[in-house]
Amino acid sequence: MPQIFTAFASEARVNNDVIEGLQSIDYRHVRNRHDVGAIGTDERVAVYFGLRFVTGALRVASGNATLDGLLDSGTEFVVSTVLRHGDASRKVTFEGCVLDEKTFTLSTEAHGEAVYTFSATRVREE
């Protein structure tokens, strides 16, 4: 049976500080891959893996002073999330994070939203 998590029951922290107003968290974990072909054929005979790339984005209602400070300082931080629904939960931790970018949007009849884009050294899912 699939695990379904809800944003309402989940939480995220930056260096143990709860991210107030968090609307969403998105992340991508990619392994750099190189295919090796055999001489005289068009088939792959091996695959070598290289760097891992972990990127993510935190969408926050209006903004977050902690994240703004980290963007200005360039200091590394940890993002830890607990995804929940009922009794089911999963912990996802991003280590060695640095903020790459912040965007801000304010539209008619809506609240402001800041999107903080980060990259991480690694992601751990438990």
Side-chain angles (χ1 to χ4, degrees):
M1 181 170 195
Q3 288 184 330
I4 299 172
F5 303 112
T6 63
F8 180 75
S10 301
E11 73 174 10
R13 296 175 178 265
V14 170
N15 292 339
N16 294 320
D17 294 334
V18 174
I19 302 173
E20 298 294 338
L22 182 67
Q23 302 296 298
S24 68
I25 181 168
D26 305 308
Y27 70 95
R28 183 175 181 183
H29 180 207
V30 178
R31 290 178 59 185
N32 192 359
R33 185 190 81 198
H34 300 283
D35 296 323
V36 178
I39 296 175
T41 180
D42 60 356
E43 295 180 353
R44 179 178 71 192
V45 296
V47 176
Y48 290 100
F49 293 98
L51 287 175
R52 293 176 187 253
F53 299 96
V54 179
T55 57
L58 302 166
R59 184 177 304 273
V60 179
S62 295
N64 183 282
T66 301
L67 291 169
D68 288 337
L70 290 168
L71 182 64
D72 291 339
S73 70
T75 305
E76 281 193 4
F77 58 95
V78 174
V79 175
S80 57
T81 64
V82 179
L83 309 176
R84 292 187 184 104
H85 180 73
D87 293 334
S89 69
R90 174 180 287 166
K91 185 174 182 182
V92 181
T93 305
F94 302 90
E95 299 171 345
C97 299
V98 291
L99 280 172
D100 299 325
E101 179 182 32
K102 174 188 175 183
T103 60
F104 181 81
T105 304
L106 180 62
S107 57
T108 305
E109 297 184 29
H111 59 77
E113 284 190 337
V115 178
Y116 298 89
T117 305
F118 65 92
S119 58
T121 303
R122 74 190 59 81
V123 59
R124 299 182 194 278
E125 296 186 34
E126 303 170 22

